[in-house]
Short mmCIF file of all heavy atoms in Angstrom, two decimals:
data_model
loop_
_atom_site.label_atom_id
_atom_site.label_comp_id
_atom_site.label_asym_id
_atom_site.label_seq_id
_atom_site.Cartn_x
_atom_site.Cartn_y
_atom_site.Cartn_z
N ARG B 98 -7.14 -0.91 15.21
CA ARG B 98 -6.71 -0.07 14.12
C ARG B 98 -5.20 -0.11 13.87
O ARG B 98 -4.73 0.46 12.91
CB ARG B 98 -7.20 1.35 14.34
CG ARG B 98 -8.70 1.43 14.23
CD ARG B 98 -9.19 2.83 14.21
NE ARG B 98 -8.97 3.51 15.44
CZ ARG B 98 -8.31 4.64 15.55
NH1 ARG B 98 -7.82 5.21 14.51
NH2 ARG B 98 -8.16 5.21 16.72
N THR B 129 -2.06 10.84 24.17
CA THR B 129 -2.81 9.66 24.54
C THR B 129 -2.96 8.73 23.34
O THR B 129 -3.25 9.18 22.24
CB THR B 129 -4.21 10.06 25.04
OG1 THR B 129 -4.04 10.92 26.16
CG2 THR B 129 -5.03 8.86 25.45
N GLY B 130 -2.81 7.44 23.62
CA GLY B 130 -2.94 6.43 22.55
C GLY B 130 -1.75 5.50 22.60
O GLY B 130 -0.81 5.70 23.40
N LEU B 131 -1.78 4.53 21.72
CA LEU B 131 -0.72 3.51 21.75
C LEU B 131 0.66 4.11 21.49
O LEU B 131 1.61 3.84 22.23
CB LEU B 131 -1.05 2.45 20.67
CG LEU B 131 -0.08 1.29 20.56
CD1 LEU B 131 -0.03 0.50 21.85
CD2 LEU B 131 -0.48 0.39 19.40
N ASP B 186 1.43 13.46 20.39
CA ASP B 186 0.10 12.87 20.58
C ASP B 186 -0.19 11.89 19.47
O ASP B 186 0.39 11.96 18.38
CB ASP B 186 -0.98 13.98 20.60
CG ASP B 186 -2.29 13.52 21.21
OD1 ASP B 186 -2.38 12.38 21.72
OD2 ASP B 186 -3.25 14.33 21.20
N ASP B 187 -1.10 10.96 19.74
CA ASP B 187 -1.68 10.14 18.67
C ASP B 187 -2.74 10.97 17.98
O ASP B 187 -3.11 12.05 18.46
CB ASP B 187 -2.37 8.90 19.26
CG ASP B 187 -1.39 7.85 19.78
OD1 ASP B 187 -0.47 8.22 20.52
OD2 ASP B 187 -1.57 6.67 19.43
N ALA B 188 -3.23 10.48 16.90
CA ALA B 188 -4.38 11.13 16.23
C ALA B 188 -5.17 10.05 15.53
O ALA B 188 -4.69 8.93 15.32
CB ALA B 188 -3.89 12.16 15.24
N ASP B 189 -6.39 10.38 15.20
CA ASP B 189 -7.22 9.42 14.47
C ASP B 189 -7.00 9.54 12.97
O ASP B 189 -7.15 8.58 12.22
CB ASP B 189 -8.69 9.64 14.80
CG ASP B 189 -8.94 9.40 16.27
OD1 ASP B 189 -8.60 8.31 16.75
OD2 ASP B 189 -9.43 10.31 16.95
N VAL B 200 -8.76 14.28 16.37
CA VAL B 200 -8.51 13.50 17.59
C VAL B 200 -9.84 13.27 18.30
O VAL B 200 -10.83 13.95 18.03
CB VAL B 200 -7.54 14.22 18.56
CG1 VAL B 200 -6.18 14.41 17.93
CG2 VAL B 200 -8.10 15.54 19.06
N GLY B 201 -9.83 12.29 19.20
CA GLY B 201 -10.98 12.13 20.10
C GLY B 201 -12.03 11.15 19.66
O GLY B 201 -13.09 11.06 20.28
N ARG B 202 -11.75 10.35 18.62
CA ARG B 202 -12.77 9.38 18.22
C ARG B 202 -12.94 8.28 19.23
O ARG B 202 -13.93 7.58 19.24
CB ARG B 202 -12.39 8.76 16.87
CG ARG B 202 -12.65 9.68 15.69
CD ARG B 202 -12.33 9.00 14.39
NE ARG B 202 -12.51 9.90 13.28
CZ ARG B 202 -12.00 9.70 12.07
NH1 ARG B 202 -11.28 8.63 11.83
NH2 ARG B 202 -12.22 10.56 11.09
N LYS B 203 -11.95 8.12 20.10
CA LYS B 203 -11.97 6.97 21.01
C LYS B 203 -12.41 7.31 22.42
O LYS B 203 -12.15 6.54 23.32
CB LYS B 203 -10.55 6.39 21.11
CG LYS B 203 -10.27 5.26 20.18
CD LYS B 203 -8.97 4.61 20.63
CE LYS B 203 -8.58 3.46 19.73
NZ LYS B 203 -7.22 3.03 20.08
N GLU B 214 -6.58 18.15 25.89
CA GLU B 214 -5.65 17.61 24.90
C GLU B 214 -5.30 18.68 23.85
O GLU B 214 -4.12 18.91 23.52
CB GLU B 214 -6.31 16.41 24.24
CG GLU B 214 -5.49 15.72 23.20
CD GLU B 214 -6.17 14.44 22.69
OE1 GLU B 214 -7.14 13.97 23.36
OE2 GLU B 214 -5.76 13.93 21.66
N LYS B 232 -3.48 6.19 8.93
CA LYS B 232 -4.11 7.40 9.44
C LYS B 232 -3.63 8.65 8.71
O LYS B 232 -4.11 9.75 9.00
CB LYS B 232 -3.82 7.55 10.94
CG LYS B 232 -4.43 6.48 11.81
CD LYS B 232 -4.01 6.73 13.25
CE LYS B 232 -4.73 5.81 14.22
NZ LYS B 232 -4.36 6.10 15.60
O1 LIG G 401 -7.69 11.30 20.70
C1 LIG G 401 -6.89 10.57 20.28
C2 LIG G 401 -5.44 10.87 20.38
O2 LIG G 401 -5.26 11.79 21.35
C3 LIG G 401 -7.29 9.35 19.58
O3 LIG G 401 -8.68 9.23 19.56
C4 LIG G 401 -6.85 8.09 20.17
O4 LIG G 401 -6.41 8.21 21.47
C5 LIG G 401 -5.87 7.43 19.28
O5 LIG G 401 -5.39 6.28 19.90
P1 LIG G 401 -4.67 5.14 19.07
O6 LIG G 401 -3.56 5.80 18.31
O7 LIG G 401 -4.18 4.17 20.10
O8 LIG G 401 -5.67 4.57 18.15
#
Side-chain angles (χ1 to χ4, degrees):
R98 292 190 294 125
T129 300
L131 182 61
D186 197 4
D187 287 49
D189 298 305
V200 298
R202 283 182 183 163
K203 265 193 181 171
E214 180 174 345
K232 294 178 173 182

